[in-house]
Amino acid sequence: MASLVIVQKKKENQRRQKIAEMKRDHKKFVDEVLSRWGESGNGELDFEELRNWLTSISGVRASDDETKWVMAMANKGRKENGLTFAEMERKTVLPDDFEKALDAWMSYRDAIPEIDKVFQKFDPNNDHILDREELMKLLTDLNQGEQPEESEVDFVLKEADVIGQGSISKPCLAKAVSIWYTRVPDETSNTGTEQVGGEPLLDKPPFQEALVVGPSSVEYNDEVG
């Protein structure tokens, strides 16, 4: 068992070195990605090509939700220009956005152990999403047992659900937690109640810190299932 862990760590270090070297030369990085995964030959990555690339990096097949989320992270600018996430699913990831897609995917994959712990506790039906009721229970837990206001739950759900499915999927969890920790006291109220938005109450909330991770390790695996 120990030897297996050592081998895995060695591979992780090799992945880290490879991706760091590739990203120093953006053109080389783009050419590498397109030559392996851009089967359509149009100089971009469509939804399935993106999924295959992500799968090759992690060794685990990227789900629909995960691929949609990475597509959304890479195409933030295009969303601001009027495209919905459903429309982005039918679009592509442009070469200039490959690094954003890669960084989002690596950070998410690194956070999977912590994300899985949360879903094991708050996703009893194991459907890999948190519906509104399950999200309420999570936020109650983060709020030291005090149930949040309905408006707070609605806000977290609306802002964190970047793929537009009306629930919190695993890739959206870190943002949901981050949004929860960015509540501030309502200075216009004498009751001391809290409202969403504004600066974080804590610089690094423990749960948020567990989900936000640094650079990851990447190695391409040509066998995509």
Side-chain angles (χ1 to χ4, degrees):
M1 183 68 177
S3 60
L4 177 59
V5 172
I6 292 173
V7 170
Q8 291 174 336
K9 291 295 184 182
K10 184 177 180 180
K11 286 185 176 181
E12 287 177 1
N13 289 333
Q14 291 172 343
R15 293 172 181 176
R16 187 186 303 274
Q17 293 171 1
K18 180 174 181 178
I19 199 63
E21 290 172 1
M22 287 178 61
K23 289 176 70 174
R24 290 193 191 101
D25 185 337
H26 181 72
K27 184 177 184 304
K28 180 179 179 181
F29 170 67
V30 169
D31 290 345
E32 173 83 6
V33 173
L34 289 177
S35 66
R36 290 195 177 201
W37 313 112
E39 296 180 0
S40 60
N42 63 358
E44 304 170 359
L45 293 181
D46 64 24
F47 189 83
E48 287 302 323
E49 290 168 345
L50 175 62
R51 187 208 299 271
N52 289 339
W53 178 36
L54 300 178
T55 299
S56 76
I57 293 169
S58 63
V60 178
R61 181 171 174 78
S63 69
D64 286 348
D65 286 350
E66 290 169 338
T67 307
K68 289 177 185 177
W69 178 78
V70 173
M71 181 78 77
M73 294 300 98
N75 286 331
K76 281 184 177 179
R78 288 204 272 176
K79 177 180 182 290
E80 292 171 357
N81 290 332
L83 291 180
T84 66
F85 288 109
E87 289 170 332
M88 282 192 293
E89 183 184 350
R90 298 191 293 272
K91 298 294 181 178
T92 58
V93 175
L94 302 175
D96 285 347
D97 297 324
F98 285 177
E99 287 193 24
K100 286 194 294 184
L102 177 63
D103 290 342
W105 180 243
M106 289 193 298
S107 294
Y108 165 68
R109 290 301 309 174
D110 277 350
I112 279 291
E114 294 298 327
I115 292 172
D116 283 346
K117 289 178 184 178
V118 174
F119 272 75
Q120 287 170 9
K121 182 174 182 179
F122 295 100
D123 179 31
N125 60 356
N126 198 32
D127 61 358
H128 307 295
I129 60 171
L130 299 181
D131 59 26
R132 193 180 184 285
E133 180 180 349
E134 292 165 342
L135 176 61
M136 170 74 83
K137 292 179 180 178
L138 168 61
L139 298 183
T140 300
D141 188 72
L142 296 180
N143 202 33
Q144 300 180 338
E146 183 177 344
Q147 186 168 298
E149 298 291 334
E150 296 289 338
S151 60
E152 291 179 310
V153 179
D154 290 340
F155 182 84
V156 171
L157 181 58
K158 177 182 177 181
E159 295 299 314
D161 177 24
V162 298
I163 61 178
Q165 64 181 12
S167 58
I168 301 299
S169 60
K170 288 186 176 183
C172 299
L173 178 63
K175 185 170 184 179
V177 174
S178 177
I179 290 170
W180 174 251
Y181 279 120
T182 57
R183 298 170 302 132
V184 297
D186 185 355
E187 297 178 355
T188 65
S189 172
N190 295 324
T191 64
T193 58
E194 295 182 322
Q195 62 182 14
V196 289
E199 297 299 322
L201 286 175
L202 302 174
D203 290 335
K204 290 184 178 180
F207 190 84
Q208 181 182 0
E209 187 176 14
L211 293 180
V212 179
V213 293
S216 179
S217 308
V218 177
E219 179 179 72
Y220 292 112
N221 180 352
D222 290 323
E223 295 182 3
V224 179

